[in-house]
Amino acid sequence: MKQEIKYEEAVSQLEDIVRKMENNELDIDQLGEQLKKAQMLLKLCKDRLTKTDEEIKKILESNK
């Protein structure tokens, strides 16, 4: 089973991929691989943010 990445680590990895792309540090093979990884990391971050937002809304609703 794949180990789950923390949100902060996913963001850090995304920032690293962007930096490498901006500095032309990736060849064409690496670029494709890194874009697939970035897509997975973006989905993970979006899912975590959505889940956290829903949890916050539930907490706020229960305190009314």
Side-chain angles (χ1 to χ4, degrees):
M1 185 172 177
K2 191 174 183 179
Q3 186 177 6
E4 202 165 312
I5 300 172
K6 292 186 177 219
Y7 178 83
E8 292 80 9
E9 177 62 25
V11 171
S12 177
Q13 288 182 30
L14 281 166
E15 290 171 343
D16 188 50
I17 292 169
V18 169
R19 181 190 54 76
K20 287 177 181 177
M21 289 174 65
E22 290 176 340
N23 294 323
N24 296 317
E25 295 178 21
L26 301 172
D27 64 32
I28 194 72
D29 294 323
Q30 292 172 321
L31 182 60
E33 180 183 310
Q34 291 300 300
L35 286 174
K36 287 178 187 175
K37 183 176 180 180
Q39 183 179 27
M40 182 269 308
L41 292 167
L42 285 169
K43 182 180 180 335
L44 182 146
C45 290
K46 181 181 176 186
D47 290 349
R48 294 259 174 87
L49 288 171
T50 300
K51 181 180 176 187
T52 300
D53 184 54
E54 290 170 358
E55 290 172 354
I56 290 170
K57 285 178 183 176
K58 285 180 185 177
I59 291 168
L60 292 175
E61 285 296 317
S62 69
N63 287 329
K64 285 187 175 181

